[in-house]
Amino acid sequence: MLPNPFDLIPSSALRPISGAIGDVVFHQGDPTHGLYVVQTGRVHLERVGPNGERFIIHRAQAGTSFAEASVFSEVYHCDAVCVEAGALIRIDKAAVLAAFADPAFARAYGRQAAQQIQAQRQMLEIVGVRRAEDRVMAGLVAGLLDGSVVEFAARLQLSHEATYRSLRKLVQDGRVTNPTRGIYHLRP
Amino acid sequence: MLPNPFDLIPSSALRPISGAIGDVVFHQGDPTHGLYVVQTGRVHLERVGPNGERFIIHRAQAGTSFAEASVFSEVYHCDAVCVEAGALIRIDKAAVLAAFADPAFARAYGRQAAQQIQAQRQMLEIVGVRRAEDRVMAGLVAGLLDGSVVEFAARLQLSHEATYRSLRKLVQDGRVTNPTRGIYHLRP
DNA sequence: GGCAGCATATGATTGAAATCATATTGCGAT
DNA sequence: ATCGCAATATGATTTCAATCATATGCTGCC
C-alpha cells in the first residue's frame, strides 16, 4: 500500500494558510505558487464569464487538494475563493516538481491520480443516467450511499425527495432491502 | 512543453490488440496486464450489478487511455468490452511502474493526470447545472462547443433539441452570436 | 422532559427537459 | 444533378424530476 504522495514532500515546502469566508486564495492570472490541500473549510474555483458571470468549476472539500495542474503552469487559470472558513496548506510547486524525481512519490502520485480519474469517470457516467431510479441503482452499485441519504442524493445530483422515492421503489421491486430507517442495501 | 508520457515507454512494452465488436478486452477479476490506449474504435468499461444488470462506468474514446489504475492493482475491477471495432495498445504494467523512476515520465504523467482531473471536475460541475440554458452557457464558457452542436449536447448530457433551444434563447438575449448556421460564439 | 433541528419519508403540484414530429440545409457519393 | 443522410432547427406533447407541503422519528441540549 503506497502512502499519500504529499507525505513525501519536505515540510519546508508546506505553507499553512488560514482562509476566512470570502478570502481569495488566488486570482486568475496570478503567477502560480503551487497546489493546495484543504484541511478544513471549503473553497470554490471560479472562472469569470464574458458578461461577468461567475462559473464554478470546482468545489474543493476538506481532505482534498486543488490546483494540482498549477504545478505545471505559469499562472492560475481560475479564481479560488474560500466559501467556508478553514485551513489550507499550500505545497510549493518547485518542491512537487522536484519530488517527481523520487520514484516513490511518482508512483504514489500516479496511483492516486489514476484512482481519482477512474472515480470521476464513473461519477460522470452515473450523473448521466436520466431516470432517477436507474441513477440511484447505479449509485448504490458504485457504493456511493455510505453516509446519509441526503448526502447520497447530492452526489447523484438528484433532489433528496426523488432519491427517497426511487429507493422506496427499488425496495418495493425487491432489488434493495431497507432493514431499518435510513439504511438501504443491495439485494444479492 | 512536456511530451505525451507514453512516448517515453519502451516499445517492447507495447502490445497492439485488435478489437472486434463485442470482444472482451478483460474481465473483472482477471489478473492485470497493464493499461490500454484506444487508437480507434470504442470500449466500454462495465460493472455487473447484483441482479446481472450491466452498469457502464466509462466509455473510452479513440485517443484516450483506460484502466490506468490497473497498473497499481492485482486484478481488473470491471469488464472492458469493445463496442466499436478498432485497435488498442496494451502498455505493460511493469514497464509503467518502471518508467516512474524516470523523472521526465513522472512529470509528464503527473501533468497529464492533473489536467484530466481538472477537466473532469469542471465537467461534473457543468452537468450539475440544472437549467438547460445555464448549462449550455457554462459549456460555451468552458469551450466545449468545438465540433457539432450534437456532440456538444452529448457532452452536456442534454438532448440536442434542448441545446438548440437554449442556444437560440442565448442568441435572442444577446449573450451569444450565431454568425452562421451551426456556429455560436460568446459575445464579449 | 421538552424543545429545536435535521434526516427520513411521502403526497400534490408544477415546470422544464425529453421525446416525438417535421422541415430545411448542407455535403458526400453515385 | 440528385439521392441519401446527418446536422440544424423548431413546434407539440409527454414525462418525470423539482418543488412545495406535511408529517414523523431521532438526537442533542438546556
Side-chain angles (χ1 to χ4, degrees):
Chain A
M1 183 67 178
L2 289 163
N4 179 333
F6 301 127
D7 291 349
L8 298 171
I9 301 274
S11 57
S12 61
L14 310 182
R15 171 166 317 223
I17 291 174
S18 72
I21 198 161
D23 276 6
V24 178
V25 182
F26 56 74
H27 269 113
Q28 184 170 353
D30 284 352
T32 50
H33 291 115
L35 64 87
Y36 293 79
V37 174
V38 184
Q39 294 196 297
T40 58
R42 282 183 305 124
V43 175
H44 280 192
L45 302 201
E46 305 176 340
R47 181 164 295 166
V48 178
N51 300 7
E53 322 95 310
R54 305 190 74 77
F55 292 90
I56 296 172
I57 58 176
H58 180 53
R59 296 158 212 255
Q61 301 280 332
T64 69
S65 53
F66 66 90
E68 301 90 338
S70 71
V71 166
F72 304 96
S73 167
E74 292 310 306
V75 294
Y76 289 105
H77 294 301
C78 58
D79 298 346
V81 181
C82 196
V83 293
E84 186 184 306
L88 312 177
I89 289 179
R90 191 176 76 204
I91 304 183
D92 190 61
K93 66 186 273 197
V96 177
L97 284 171
F100 276 112
D102 173 6
F105 173 85
R107 288 191 194 108
Y109 188 92
R111 175 195 163 101
Q112 205 191 50
Q115 286 178 343
Q116 194 171 344
I117 286 168
Q118 305 263 83
Q120 285 179 338
R121 284 175 182 164
Q122 185 179 14
M123 283 308 302
L124 277 166
E125 283 294 333
I126 290 172
V127 299
V129 174
R130 302 253 192 244
R131 280 218 323 147
E133 196 184 318
D134 297 343
R135 194 135 115 216
V136 166
M137 190 64 192
L140 289 173
V141 171
L144 299 178
L145 177 47
D146 48 356
S148 72
V149 176
V150 170
E151 190 201 348
F152 180 55
R155 290 192 196 177
L156 295 180
Q157 320 256 49
L158 277 178
S159 68
H160 61 92
E161 294 97 325
T163 306
Y164 281 120
R165 274 186 262 269
S166 300
L167 285 167
R168 176 165 58 91
K169 184 80 186 332
L170 289 167
V171 169
Q172 281 170 356
D173 294 355
R175 305 220 283 154
V176 166
T177 60
N178 179 207
T180 171
R181 190 181 163 86
I183 303 296
Y184 297 86
H185 288 126
L186 287 171
R187 187 188 291 281
Chain B
M1 184 68 178
L2 290 163
N4 179 333
F6 301 126
D7 291 348
L8 299 172
I9 300 274
S11 56
S12 61
L14 311 182
R15 169 166 318 223
I17 291 174
S18 72
I21 198 162
D23 277 6
V24 177
V25 182
F26 56 74
H27 270 113
Q28 183 170 354
D30 285 352
T32 50
H33 291 115
L35 63 86
Y36 293 79
V37 174
V38 184
Q39 294 195 298
T40 58
R42 282 183 306 125
V43 175
H44 280 192
L45 303 201
E46 305 177 341
R47 181 164 296 166
V48 179
N51 300 8
E53 322 95 311
R54 304 190 74 76
F55 293 90
I56 297 171
I57 59 176
H58 179 53
R59 297 157 211 255
Q61 302 280 333
T64 69
S65 53
F66 66 90
E68 301 90 339
S70 70
V71 166
F72 304 96
S73 168
E74 292 310 306
V75 294
Y76 290 105
H77 293 300
C78 57
D79 299 345
V81 182
C82 195
V83 293
E84 185 183 306
L88 311 177
I89 289 179
R90 190 176 77 202
I91 304 182
D92 190 62
K93 66 185 272 195
V96 177
L97 284 171
F100 276 112
D102 173 5
F105 173 84
R107 289 191 193 106
Y109 188 92
R111 176 196 163 99
Q112 206 191 50
Q115 285 178 344
Q116 195 172 344
I117 287 167
Q118 305 263 82
Q120 285 179 339
R121 284 174 183 165
Q122 185 179 13
M123 284 307 302
L124 278 166
E125 283 294 333
I126 289 172
V127 299
V129 173
R130 300 254 191 243
R131 280 219 322 148
E133 195 184 320
D134 296 344
R135 194 135 115 216
V136 166
M137 190 64 193
L140 289 172
V141 170
L144 299 178
L145 177 47
D146 47 357
S148 72
V149 176
V150 169
E151 189 201 350
F152 179 55
R155 290 191 196 177
L156 295 180
Q157 320 256 46
L158 278 177
S159 69
H160 60 92
E161 295 97 325
T163 306
Y164 281 120
R165 274 186 261 270
S166 299
L167 284 167
R168 175 166 57 91
K169 184 81 186 332
L170 289 167
V171 170
Q172 282 170 356
D173 293 355
R175 305 220 284 155
V176 166
T177 60
N178 180 206
T180 171
R181 188 180 165 85
I183 303 296
Y184 297 87
H185 288 127
L186 288 171
R187 187 188 290 281

